[in-house]
Amino acid sequence: MSIDTAVDIATPTSDTHLTIPVAIVGFGWMGRVHAQAYARVRHHYPTLRPLPKLSVIADELGDRAQAAAEQFDVASVVTDWRDVIADNTIRAVSVTAPNFLHREIGVAVANAGKHLWIEKPVGLSAADARAVADAASDAGVVTAVGFNYRNVPAVEAAREMIAAGEIGEITHARFRLFSDYAAHPDGALTWRYSRDRGGNGVLGDLASHGADLVWYLLGDIDSLIADTATFITERSKPTGATAGHQLAVGGERGPVENEDYVSAQLRLASGARCVLEASRVSVGEQNSYGFEIHGTKGIVRWDYRRMGELEVGTGGAYQDQSVATRYVGPGAGDYAAFQPGAANPMGYDDLKVIEAARFCASIAGPERLGANILDAVRSAEVLDAMSESVRSGTWVSPVRV
Ligand SMILES: NC(=O)c1ccc[n+]([C@@H]2O[C@H](COP(=O)([O-])OP(=O)(O)OC[C@H]3O[C@@H](n4cnc5c(N)ncnc54)[C@H](O)[C@@H]3O)[C@@H](O)[C@H]2O)c1
């Protein structure tokens, strides 16, 4: 990618050639990860301009925002995100608030002419993601979306192998996103479990990443049939502020309104067949994300928990073909920005540094790098199709919104 040669054409006011003032709205888990990523961009991409400068933190919890501002040396704290929109010094905004706020805040950010880095799934439905995409397109602002798993250098290497035909024509594939973050029956009934605020549960949380990876690696999905389930149907309401996934014991109980589990069979436009399965209640599965992709001449497998490795089987054996571990290194995606040689493990936060760098480089232009709002629309169309398939019990094609 051309990050190193990017030049600043996006910030016409003072201090412009070096930095772009950014704000973060919502300082829970993801807000913190975005803040760390903005801070580290200069460490890993020293020649990139503009560099982000975190200048405002917004969270409805004033204490949380204030503590974060002290930790990250940020001058301004607000509790109403509209103050970020009204702040003319802010040129780019991270939206890391709960899903139900994505549409309203995302549209407002774009309408104000500010660049937008927004977390997946971007709202509660494809219509929400499309509303943000249209606002961004009308305003001509740059967008980035948190499909961080496609930033993994090994995933990018797998994509190149597949595109180069190293494993032949793709026949079938499995994508899994299993987690235990909601497996504890005492997990607090946060915004995630409400349809109005969290949307379609594990579909938006995890299957959204899966739908993006299927497209990124294998292309368009032609049709699908899906099944969903909610296994833990009630949880205790939290009595105080929450961030991420916390326990709440003994409080008033309320209903879980969205999906714990989804499985889907996909027919790809290429003719390949695919299985995508996601669960937030898999005991014993911690961030067990990955894929296995089969072709007429080989196989490539990847597991997020061994992020820098691919298992690859290629050659002409067909039967009894051996499979070997390939450690990715410089040359695979943005690996070289982090480590000088293969098999030095990268971590989750590094993926967000890559995302932040691509966002800044896209602002500099002219290339658009990384996942953007149109990728969020495409992923959400697949999730909507899954819900429609469950409702109708039939094969469904994703509807373009
Ligand atoms: N890309 C990924 O891998 C990934 C991982 C986790 C979460 N996410 C996404 O990030 C988003 C946030 O998830 P999280 O786990 O950080 O949630 P969280 O609950 O930890 O944090 C949400 C924060 O938003 C704040 N907030 C709520 N309402 C607000 C308002 N009106 N104005 C300002 N702040 C408000 C809360 O106080 C909280 O601090 C979700 O959309 C989620 O899907 C993405």
Side-chain angles (χ1 to χ4, degrees):
M1 118 173 123
S2 64
I3 278 186
D4 282 355
T5 56
V7 292
D8 177 14
I9 57 169
T11 50
T13 52
S14 61
D15 197 23
T16 56
H17 289 89
L18 296 177
T19 61
I20 179 167
V22 303
I24 293 177
V25 176
F27 214 89
W29 177 26
M30 271 308 109
R32 179 165 295 279
V33 171
H34 281 223
Q36 290 161 180
Y38 283 133
R40 287 179 57 206
V41 165
R42 65 181 62 223
H43 302 165
H44 295 279
Y45 299 88
T47 61
L48 173 63
R49 301 291 180 273
L51 287 168
K53 178 166 175 45
L54 182 55
S55 305
V56 179
I57 291 176
D59 198 292
E60 65 173 2
L61 303 173
D63 290 353
R64 181 174 291 181
Q66 187 58 46
E70 284 162 23
Q71 184 187 356
F72 287 92
D73 195 21
V74 172
S76 179
V77 161
V78 297
T79 51
D80 186 343
W81 59 265
R82 291 168 191 82
D83 293 338
V84 169
I85 306 299
D87 185 339
N88 289 330
T89 66
I90 294 298
R91 303 288 306 127
V93 180
S94 278
V95 177
T96 48
N99 300 352
F100 74 101
L101 294 167
H102 290 176
R103 178 176 182 155
E104 187 183 8
I105 303 176
V107 167
V109 167
N111 285 347
K114 302 179 195 302
H115 305 295
L116 174 68
W117 179 13
I118 187 165
E119 269 308 328
K120 41 60 57 178
V122 187
L124 308 176
S125 63
D128 282 359
R130 170 50 69 188
V132 179
D134 286 350
S137 168
D138 290 349
V141 297
V142 166
T143 58
V145 171
F147 287 130
N148 24 259
Y149 300 112
R150 63 152 90 171
N151 302 334
V152 175
V155 172
E156 300 207 42
R159 185 177 193 240
E160 283 181 14
M161 283 180 51
I162 293 164
E166 281 188 49
I167 61 169
E169 297 291 318
I170 304 306
T171 51
H172 57 105
R174 302 171 68 88
F175 288 71
R176 75 168 192 289
L177 297 109
F178 289 163
S179 186
D180 63 358
Y181 68 80
H184 201 299
D186 291 331
L189 189 68
T190 65
W191 60 267
R192 278 197 162 74
Y193 303 95
S194 131
R195 195 155 295 274
D196 286 350
R197 294 187 297 153
N200 44 22
V202 77
L203 279 71
D205 267 3
L206 295 181
S208 58
H209 284 294
D212 183 65
L213 283 177
V214 169
W215 177 81
Y216 191 61
L217 292 161
L218 303 178
D220 279 325
I221 295 167
D222 190 52
S223 59
L224 60 84
I225 189 162
D227 190 19
T228 57
T230 305
F231 297 112
I232 299 179
T233 55
E234 273 194 349
R235 294 176 183 274
S236 291
K237 296 179 184 172
T239 50
T242 61
H245 314 290
Q246 292 178 204
L247 300 188
V249 188
E252 188 190 343
R253 306 282 286 174
V256 171
E257 296 174 349
N258 53 26
E259 293 81 355
D260 285 337
Y261 171 86
V262 61
S263 64
Q265 282 180 254
L266 316 175
R267 290 181 183 151
L268 305 188
S270 68
R273 300 300 199 259
C274 184
V275 175
L276 193 164
E277 196 178 11
S279 171
R280 62 185 181 188
V281 295
S282 299
V283 174
E285 298 276 20
Q286 294 91 30
N287 299 314
S288 175
Y289 310 149
F291 54 74
E292 46 193 74
I293 297 173
H294 302 263
T296 49
K297 293 195 297 190
I299 179 173
V300 57
R301 280 195 291 255
W302 174 74
D303 185 325
Y304 166 69
R305 297 164 299 179
R306 304 172 72 91
M307 192 192 289
E309 300 174 23
L310 289 176
E311 291 196 341
V312 180
T314 55
Y318 298 101
Q319 197 173 0
D320 299 332
Q321 173 70 54
S322 65
V323 175
T325 300
R326 187 182 293 180
Y327 294 103
V328 301
D334 277 19
Y335 187 94
F338 295 83
Q339 301 293 347
N344 286 300
M346 289 172 62
Y348 176 82
D349 285 5
D350 296 332
L351 307 180
K352 287 305 208 189
V353 176
I354 295 171
E355 210 163 276
R358 290 178 178 175
F359 180 45
C360 293
S362 298
I363 290 170
E367 267 187 279
R368 295 286 185 259
L369 302 167
N372 64 40
I373 190 67
L374 295 178
D375 298 305
V377 174
R378 186 190 307 104
S379 170
E381 287 167 347
V382 173
L383 305 184
D384 281 5
M386 289 178 183
S387 298
E388 174 54 23
S389 172
V390 171
R391 195 196 61 72
S392 64
T394 60
W395 285 87
V396 168
S397 292
V399 176
R400 300 269 173 259
V401 297

mmCIF file of all heavy atoms in Angstrom, residues 169-207:
data_model
loop_
_atom_site.group_PDB
_atom_site.id
_atom_site.type_symbol
_atom_site.label_atom_id
_atom_site.label_comp_id
_atom_site.label_asym_id
_atom_site.label_seq_id
_atom_site.Cartn_x
_atom_site.Cartn_y
_atom_site.Cartn_z
ATOM 1 N N GLU A 169 -9.372 -23.713 -8.287
ATOM 2 C CA GLU A 169 -10.715 -23.119 -8.226
ATOM 3 C C GLU A 169 -11.303 -23.407 -6.855
ATOM 4 O O GLU A 169 -11.222 -24.549 -6.381
ATOM 5 C CB GLU A 169 -11.629 -23.750 -9.281
ATOM 6 C CG GLU A 169 -11.207 -23.515 -10.712
ATOM 7 C CD GLU A 169 -11.367 -22.061 -11.108
ATOM 8 O OE1 GLU A 169 -12.398 -21.468 -10.739
ATOM 9 O OE2 GLU A 169 -10.439 -21.509 -11.740
ATOM 10 N N ILE A 170 -11.912 -22.394 -6.237
ATOM 11 C CA ILE A 170 -12.477 -22.611 -4.901
ATOM 12 C C ILE A 170 -13.731 -23.477 -5.026
ATOM 13 O O ILE A 170 -14.641 -23.171 -5.811
ATOM 14 C CB ILE A 170 -12.827 -21.273 -4.225
ATOM 15 C CG1 ILE A 170 -11.585 -20.377 -4.169
ATOM 16 C CG2 ILE A 170 -13.387 -21.526 -2.822
ATOM 17 C CD1 ILE A 170 -10.363 -21.008 -3.513
ATOM 18 N N THR A 171 -13.754 -24.533 -4.229
ATOM 19 C CA THR A 171 -14.919 -25.421 -4.251
ATOM 20 C C THR A 171 -15.837 -25.151 -3.057
ATOM 21 O O THR A 171 -17.023 -24.905 -3.210
ATOM 22 C CB THR A 171 -14.477 -26.895 -4.229
ATOM 23 O OG1 THR A 171 -13.546 -27.077 -3.140
ATOM 24 C CG2 THR A 171 -13.818 -27.281 -5.547
ATOM 25 N N HIS A 172 -15.254 -25.157 -1.849
ATOM 26 C CA HIS A 172 -16.086 -24.933 -0.665
ATOM 27 C C HIS A 172 -15.252 -24.371 0.464
ATOM 28 O O HIS A 172 -14.004 -24.449 0.437
ATOM 29 C CB HIS A 172 -16.823 -26.209 -0.238
ATOM 30 C CG HIS A 172 -15.923 -27.371 0.045
ATOM 31 N ND1 HIS A 172 -15.649 -27.798 1.315
ATOM 32 C CD2 HIS A 172 -15.226 -28.187 -0.779
ATOM 33 C CE1 HIS A 172 -14.837 -28.837 1.261
ATOM 34 N NE2 HIS A 172 -14.554 -29.093 0.003
ATOM 35 N N ALA A 173 -15.922 -23.787 1.462
ATOM 36 C CA ALA A 173 -15.202 -23.105 2.547
ATOM 37 C C ALA A 173 -16.056 -23.087 3.794
ATOM 38 O O ALA A 173 -17.289 -23.233 3.730
ATOM 39 C CB ALA A 173 -14.872 -21.673 2.129
ATOM 40 N N ARG A 174 -15.378 -22.945 4.946
ATOM 41 C CA ARG A 174 -16.089 -22.782 6.230
ATOM 42 C C ARG A 174 -15.497 -21.575 6.934
ATOM 43 O O ARG A 174 -14.286 -21.419 7.013
ATOM 44 C CB ARG A 174 -15.890 -24.002 7.138
ATOM 45 C CG ARG A 174 -16.341 -25.291 6.557
ATOM 46 C CD ARG A 174 -15.905 -26.457 7.440
ATOM 47 N NE ARG A 174 -16.624 -26.436 8.706
ATOM 48 C CZ ARG A 174 -17.807 -27.025 8.902
ATOM 49 N NH1 ARG A 174 -18.376 -27.693 7.920
ATOM 50 N NH2 ARG A 174 -18.391 -26.970 10.060
ATOM 51 N N PHE A 175 -16.366 -20.723 7.450
ATOM 52 C CA PHE A 175 -15.946 -19.571 8.250
ATOM 53 C C PHE A 175 -16.613 -19.715 9.609
ATOM 54 O O PHE A 175 -17.829 -19.901 9.689
ATOM 55 C CB PHE A 175 -16.388 -18.247 7.605
ATOM 56 C CG PHE A 175 -15.606 -17.904 6.362
ATOM 57 C CD1 PHE A 175 -15.786 -18.628 5.200
ATOM 58 C CD2 PHE A 175 -14.694 -16.863 6.371
ATOM 59 C CE1 PHE A 175 -15.070 -18.340 4.050
ATOM 60 C CE2 PHE A 175 -13.966 -16.561 5.230
ATOM 61 C CZ PHE A 175 -14.149 -17.295 4.072
ATOM 62 N N ARG A 176 -15.819 -19.635 10.689
ATOM 63 C CA ARG A 176 -16.422 -19.748 12.030
ATOM 64 C C ARG A 176 -16.016 -18.551 12.867
ATOM 65 O O ARG A 176 -14.870 -18.068 12.789
ATOM 66 C CB ARG A 176 -16.019 -21.050 12.723
ATOM 67 C CG ARG A 176 -14.630 -21.043 13.229
ATOM 68 C CD ARG A 176 -14.218 -22.141 14.147
ATOM 69 N NE ARG A 176 -12.931 -21.753 14.717
ATOM 70 C CZ ARG A 176 -11.800 -21.726 14.035
ATOM 71 N NH1 ARG A 176 -11.772 -22.085 12.772
ATOM 72 N NH2 ARG A 176 -10.683 -21.320 14.617
ATOM 73 N N LEU A 177 -16.966 -18.073 13.647
ATOM 74 C CA LEU A 177 -16.698 -17.004 14.612
ATOM 75 C C LEU A 177 -17.388 -17.400 15.906
ATOM 76 O O LEU A 177 -18.566 -17.096 16.133
ATOM 77 C CB LEU A 177 -17.218 -15.659 14.087
ATOM 78 C CG LEU A 177 -16.505 -15.224 12.799
ATOM 79 C CD1 LEU A 177 -17.435 -15.325 11.604
ATOM 80 C CD2 LEU A 177 -15.927 -13.836 12.934
ATOM 81 N N PHE A 178 -16.632 -18.137 16.735
ATOM 82 C CA PHE A 178 -17.184 -18.636 17.992
ATOM 83 C C PHE A 178 -16.565 -17.852 19.140
ATOM 84 O O PHE A 178 -15.344 -17.672 19.202
ATOM 85 C CB PHE A 178 -16.854 -20.118 18.201
ATOM 86 C CG PHE A 178 -17.593 -21.050 17.280
ATOM 87 C CD1 PHE A 178 -17.162 -22.354 17.103
ATOM 88 C CD2 PHE A 178 -18.730 -20.641 16.595
ATOM 89 C CE1 PHE A 178 -17.837 -23.227 16.276
ATOM 90 C CE2 PHE A 178 -19.421 -21.510 15.757
ATOM 91 C CZ PHE A 178 -18.967 -22.805 15.595
ATOM 92 N N SER A 179 -17.408 -17.454 20.074
ATOM 93 C CA SER A 179 -16.914 -16.743 21.238
ATOM 94 C C SER A 179 -17.752 -17.123 22.447
ATOM 95 O O SER A 179 -18.864 -17.637 22.315
ATOM 96 C CB SER A 179 -16.984 -15.229 20.990
ATOM 97 O OG SER A 179 -16.387 -14.557 22.066
ATOM 98 N N ASP A 180 -17.206 -16.838 23.622
ATOM 99 C CA ASP A 180 -17.923 -17.152 24.862
ATOM 100 C C ASP A 180 -18.314 -15.880 25.615
ATOM 101 O O ASP A 180 -18.680 -15.945 26.775
ATOM 102 C CB ASP A 180 -17.062 -18.050 25.759
ATOM 103 C CG ASP A 180 -15.769 -17.377 26.202
ATOM 104 O OD1 ASP A 180 -15.527 -16.224 25.782
ATOM 105 O OD2 ASP A 180 -14.993 -18.005 26.961
ATOM 106 N N TYR A 181 -18.248 -14.720 24.939
ATOM 107 C CA TYR A 181 -18.462 -13.472 25.682
ATOM 108 C C TYR A 181 -19.871 -13.352 26.260
ATOM 109 O O TYR A 181 -20.097 -12.582 27.187
ATOM 110 C CB TYR A 181 -18.108 -12.243 24.838
ATOM 111 C CG TYR A 181 -19.012 -11.961 23.658
ATOM 112 C CD1 TYR A 181 -20.236 -11.338 23.813
ATOM 113 C CD2 TYR A 181 -18.620 -12.301 22.374
ATOM 114 C CE1 TYR A 181 -21.065 -11.074 22.733
ATOM 115 C CE2 TYR A 181 -19.423 -12.042 21.282
ATOM 116 C CZ TYR A 181 -20.644 -11.428 21.470
ATOM 117 O OH TYR A 181 -21.454 -11.175 20.397
ATOM 118 N N ALA A 182 -20.814 -14.141 25.721
ATOM 119 C CA ALA A 182 -22.171 -14.118 26.257
ATOM 120 C C ALA A 182 -22.559 -15.477 26.840
ATOM 121 O O ALA A 182 -23.736 -15.728 27.109
ATOM 122 C CB ALA A 182 -23.160 -13.726 25.165
ATOM 123 N N ALA A 183 -21.570 -16.349 27.051
ATOM 124 C CA ALA A 183 -21.885 -17.715 27.495
ATOM 125 C C ALA A 183 -22.273 -17.779 28.964
ATOM 126 O O ALA A 183 -23.004 -18.679 29.386
ATOM 127 C CB ALA A 183 -20.672 -18.626 27.243
ATOM 128 N N HIS A 184 -21.784 -16.815 29.772
ATOM 129 C CA HIS A 184 -22.096 -16.871 31.198
ATOM 130 C C HIS A 184 -23.556 -16.446 31.422
ATOM 131 O O HIS A 184 -23.964 -15.369 30.986
ATOM 132 C CB HIS A 184 -21.156 -15.936 31.972
ATOM 133 C CG HIS A 184 -21.049 -16.300 33.422
ATOM 134 N ND1 HIS A 184 -22.135 -16.303 34.268
ATOM 135 C CD2 HIS A 184 -19.984 -16.697 34.167
ATOM 136 C CE1 HIS A 184 -21.751 -16.671 35.477
ATOM 137 N NE2 HIS A 184 -20.442 -16.918 35.441
ATOM 138 N N PRO A 185 -24.329 -17.280 32.115
ATOM 139 C CA PRO A 185 -25.750 -16.923 32.315
ATOM 140 C C PRO A 185 -25.928 -15.640 33.127
ATOM 141 O O PRO A 185 -26.997 -15.025 33.071
ATOM 142 C CB PRO A 185 -26.338 -18.138 33.043
ATOM 143 C CG PRO A 185 -25.177 -18.985 33.448
ATOM 144 C CD PRO A 185 -23.992 -18.608 32.632
ATOM 145 N N ASP A 186 -24.873 -15.223 33.841
ATOM 146 C CA ASP A 186 -24.948 -13.970 34.594
ATOM 147 C C ASP A 186 -24.383 -12.780 33.808
ATOM 148 O O ASP A 186 -24.183 -11.705 34.380
ATOM 149 C CB ASP A 186 -24.185 -14.097 35.921
ATOM 150 C CG ASP A 186 -24.892 -15.051 36.879
ATOM 151 O OD1 ASP A 186 -26.125 -15.168 36.798
ATOM 152 O OD2 ASP A 186 -24.189 -15.707 37.678
ATOM 153 N N GLY A 187 -24.098 -12.975 32.542
ATOM 154 C CA GLY A 187 -23.662 -11.846 31.715
ATOM 155 C C GLY A 187 -24.725 -10.762 31.740
ATOM 156 O O GLY A 187 -25.932 -11.032 31.586
ATOM 157 N N ALA A 188 -24.295 -9.510 31.947
ATOM 158 C CA ALA A 188 -25.251 -8.405 32.129
ATOM 159 C C ALA A 188 -26.083 -8.156 30.873
ATOM 160 O O ALA A 188 -25.592 -8.287 29.752
ATOM 161 C CB ALA A 188 -24.483 -7.127 32.491
ATOM 162 N N LEU A 189 -27.334 -7.805 31.093
ATOM 163 C CA LEU A 189 -28.259 -7.472 30.005
ATOM 164 C C LEU A 189 -27.945 -6.052 29.514
ATOM 165 O O LEU A 189 -28.644 -5.101 29.839
ATOM 166 C CB LEU A 189 -29.704 -7.568 30.507
ATOM 167 C CG LEU A 189 -30.807 -7.470 29.457
ATOM 168 C CD1 LEU A 189 -30.811 -8.692 28.537
ATOM 169 C CD2 LEU A 189 -32.170 -7.338 30.136
ATOM 170 N N THR A 190 -26.867 -5.927 28.749
ATOM 171 C CA THR A 190 -26.458 -4.609 28.242
ATOM 172 C C THR A 190 -27.222 -4.300 26.961
ATOM 173 O O THR A 190 -28.056 -5.090 26.495
ATOM 174 C CB THR A 190 -24.947 -4.601 27.932
ATOM 175 O OG1 THR A 190 -24.711 -5.533 26.856
ATOM 176 C CG2 THR A 190 -24.114 -5.002 29.139
ATOM 177 N N TRP A 191 -26.857 -3.162 26.331
ATOM 178 C CA TRP A 191 -27.483 -2.758 25.071
ATOM 179 C C TRP A 191 -27.382 -3.843 24.011
ATOM 180 O O TRP A 191 -28.223 -3.922 23.108
ATOM 181 C CB TRP A 191 -26.844 -1.456 24.560
ATOM 182 C CG TRP A 191 -25.363 -1.531 24.296
ATOM 183 C CD1 TRP A 191 -24.351 -1.226 25.147
ATOM 184 C CD2 TRP A 191 -24.720 -1.939 23.076
ATOM 185 N NE1 TRP A 191 -23.121 -1.424 24.555
ATOM 186 C CE2 TRP A 191 -23.317 -1.859 23.285
ATOM 187 C CE3 TRP A 191 -25.189 -2.361 21.822
ATOM 188 C CZ2 TRP A 191 -22.395 -2.180 22.296
ATOM 189 C CZ3 TRP A 191 -24.262 -2.688 20.837
ATOM 190 C CH2 TRP A 191 -22.889 -2.588 21.084
ATOM 191 N N ARG A 192 -26.376 -4.697 24.109
ATOM 192 C CA ARG A 192 -26.142 -5.717 23.078
ATOM 193 C C ARG A 192 -27.311 -6.680 22.907
ATOM 194 O O ARG A 192 -27.490 -7.260 21.846
ATOM 195 C CB ARG A 192 -24.927 -6.560 23.459
ATOM 196 C CG ARG A 192 -23.619 -5.933 23.091
ATOM 197 C CD ARG A 192 -22.498 -6.958 23.094
ATOM 198 N NE ARG A 192 -21.370 -6.439 22.351
ATOM 199 C CZ ARG A 192 -20.571 -5.488 22.827
ATOM 200 N NH1 ARG A 192 -20.776 -4.989 24.010
ATOM 201 N NH2 ARG A 192 -19.575 -5.038 22.095
ATOM 202 N N TYR A 193 -28.101 -6.891 23.975
ATOM 203 C CA TYR A 193 -29.128 -7.935 23.964
ATOM 204 C C TYR A 193 -30.514 -7.387 23.639
ATOM 205 O O TYR A 193 -31.490 -8.130 23.657
ATOM 206 C CB TYR A 193 -29.122 -8.681 25.313
ATOM 207 C CG TYR A 193 -27.767 -9.271 25.599
ATOM 208 C CD1 TYR A 193 -26.829 -8.594 26.381
ATOM 209 C CD2 TYR A 193 -27.400 -10.487 25.025
ATOM 210 C CE1 TYR A 193 -25.566 -9.117 26.602
ATOM 211 C CE2 TYR A 193 -26.127 -11.018 25.241
ATOM 212 C CZ TYR A 193 -25.220 -10.327 26.034
ATOM 213 O OH TYR A 193 -23.968 -10.843 26.233
ATOM 214 N N SER A 194 -30.584 -6.095 23.345
ATOM 215 C CA SER A 194 -31.868 -5.488 23.004
ATOM 216 C C SER A 194 -31.943 -5.266 21.501
ATOM 217 O O SER A 194 -30.972 -4.815 20.887
ATOM 218 C CB SER A 194 -31.995 -4.161 23.771
ATOM 219 O OG SER A 194 -32.386 -3.128 22.923
ATOM 220 N N ARG A 195 -33.064 -5.616 20.898
ATOM 221 C CA ARG A 195 -33.171 -5.476 19.444
ATOM 222 C C ARG A 195 -33.104 -4.012 19.021
ATOM 223 O O ARG A 195 -32.489 -3.676 18.017
ATOM 224 C CB ARG A 195 -34.470 -6.130 18.942
ATOM 225 C CG ARG A 195 -34.448 -6.330 17.446
ATOM 226 C CD ARG A 195 -35.345 -7.440 16.960
ATOM 227 N NE ARG A 195 -35.013 -8.777 17.373
ATOM 228 C CZ ARG A 195 -34.138 -9.589 16.744
ATOM 229 N NH1 ARG A 195 -33.467 -9.162 15.703
ATOM 230 N NH2 ARG A 195 -33.948 -10.806 17.173
ATOM 231 N N ASP A 196 -33.698 -3.141 19.812
ATOM 232 C CA ASP A 196 -33.705 -1.713 19.452
ATOM 233 C C ASP A 196 -32.324 -1.078 19.548
ATOM 234 O O ASP A 196 -32.036 -0.105 18.866
ATOM 235 C CB ASP A 196 -34.628 -0.926 20.397
ATOM 236 C CG ASP A 196 -36.070 -1.186 20.088
ATOM 237 O OD1 ASP A 196 -36.336 -1.815 19.046
ATOM 238 O OD2 ASP A 196 -36.924 -0.784 20.900
ATOM 239 N N ARG A 197 -31.485 -1.599 20.432
ATOM 240 C CA ARG A 197 -30.180 -0.953 20.640
ATOM 241 C C ARG A 197 -29.017 -1.778 20.090
ATOM 242 O O ARG A 197 -28.028 -1.229 19.644
ATOM 243 C CB ARG A 197 -29.984 -0.661 22.131
ATOM 244 C CG ARG A 197 -30.985 0.382 22.662
ATOM 245 C CD ARG A 197 -30.667 0.786 24.077
ATOM 246 N NE ARG A 197 -30.774 -0.349 24.973
ATOM 247 C CZ ARG A 197 -30.101 -0.468 26.120
ATOM 248 N NH1 ARG A 197 -29.277 0.485 26.499
ATOM 249 N NH2 ARG A 197 -30.248 -1.527 26.884
ATOM 250 N N GLY A 198 -29.148 -3.107 20.138
ATOM 251 C CA GLY A 198 -28.055 -3.971 19.673
ATOM 252 C C GLY A 198 -28.308 -4.585 18.307
ATOM 253 O O GLY A 198 -27.404 -5.123 17.682
ATOM 254 N N GLY A 199 -29.586 -4.523 17.844
ATOM 255 C CA GLY A 199 -29.904 -5.106 16.541
ATOM 256 C C GLY A 199 -30.025 -6.612 16.609
ATOM 257 O O GLY A 199 -30.649 -7.157 17.525
ATOM 258 N N ASN A 200 -29.378 -7.288 15.649
ATOM 259 C CA ASN A 200 -29.603 -8.716 15.470
ATOM 260 C C ASN A 200 -28.581 -9.591 16.204
ATOM 261 O O ASN A 200 -28.235 -10.676 15.741
ATOM 262 C CB ASN A 200 -29.653 -9.050 13.983
ATOM 263 C CG ASN A 200 -28.541 -8.332 13.220
ATOM 264 O OD1 ASN A 200 -27.526 -7.947 13.818
ATOM 265 N ND2 ASN A 200 -28.728 -8.138 11.934
ATOM 266 N N GLY A 201 -28.082 -9.116 17.335
ATOM 267 C CA GLY A 201 -27.263 -9.949 18.219
ATOM 268 C C GLY A 201 -25.973 -10.399 17.561
ATOM 269 O O GLY A 201 -25.212 -9.586 17.027
ATOM 270 N N VAL A 202 -25.731 -11.709 17.607
ATOM 271 C CA VAL A 202 -24.453 -12.228 17.106
ATOM 272 C C VAL A 202 -24.289 -11.992 15.605
ATOM 273 O O VAL A 202 -23.175 -12.011 15.092
ATOM 274 C CB VAL A 202 -24.324 -13.732 17.461
ATOM 275 C CG1 VAL A 202 -25.179 -14.585 16.529
ATOM 276 C CG2 VAL A 202 -22.864 -14.164 17.423
ATOM 277 N N LEU A 203 -25.386 -11.735 14.913
ATOM 278 C CA LEU A 203 -25.240 -11.460 13.473
ATOM 279 C C LEU A 203 -24.406 -10.186 13.278
ATOM 280 O O LEU A 203 -23.418 -10.173 12.550
ATOM 281 C CB LEU A 203 -26.611 -11.323 12.788
ATOM 282 C CG LEU A 203 -27.310 -12.642 12.423
ATOM 283 C CD1 LEU A 203 -27.806 -13.373 13.646
ATOM 284 C CD2 LEU A 203 -28.445 -12.393 11.441
ATOM 285 N N GLY A 204 -24.821 -9.101 13.946
ATOM 286 C CA GLY A 204 -24.069 -7.851 13.821
ATOM 287 C C GLY A 204 -22.725 -7.906 14.519
ATOM 288 O O GLY A 204 -21.734 -7.351 14.050
ATOM 289 N N ASP A 205 -22.695 -8.595 15.658
ATOM 290 C CA ASP A 205 -21.459 -8.655 16.455
ATOM 291 C C ASP A 205 -20.363 -9.432 15.723
ATOM 292 O O ASP A 205 -19.237 -8.951 15.598
ATOM 293 C CB ASP A 205 -21.725 -9.345 17.795
ATOM 294 C CG ASP A 205 -22.077 -8.351 18.892
ATOM 295 O OD1 ASP A 205 -22.173 -7.153 18.596
ATOM 296 O OD2 ASP A 205 -22.261 -8.798 20.046
ATOM 297 N N LEU A 206 -20.674 -10.656 15.302
ATOM 298 C CA LEU A 206 -19.622 -11.536 14.763
ATOM 299 C C LEU A 206 -19.849 -11.943 13.304
ATOM 300 O O LEU A 206 -18.900 -11.937 12.509
ATOM 301 C CB LEU A 206 -19.517 -12.806 15.627
ATOM 302 C CG LEU A 206 -19.046 -12.584 17.064
ATOM 303 C CD1 LEU A 206 -18.951 -13.919 17.813
ATOM 304 C CD2 LEU A 206 -17.685 -11.878 17.103
ATOM 305 N N ALA A 207 -21.089 -12.309 12.944
ATOM 306 C CA ALA A 207 -21.312 -12.754 11.558
ATOM 307 C C ALA A 207 -21.038 -11.628 10.566
ATOM 308 O O ALA A 207 -20.713 -11.887 9.404
ATOM 309 C CB ALA A 207 -22.734 -13.286 11.393
#
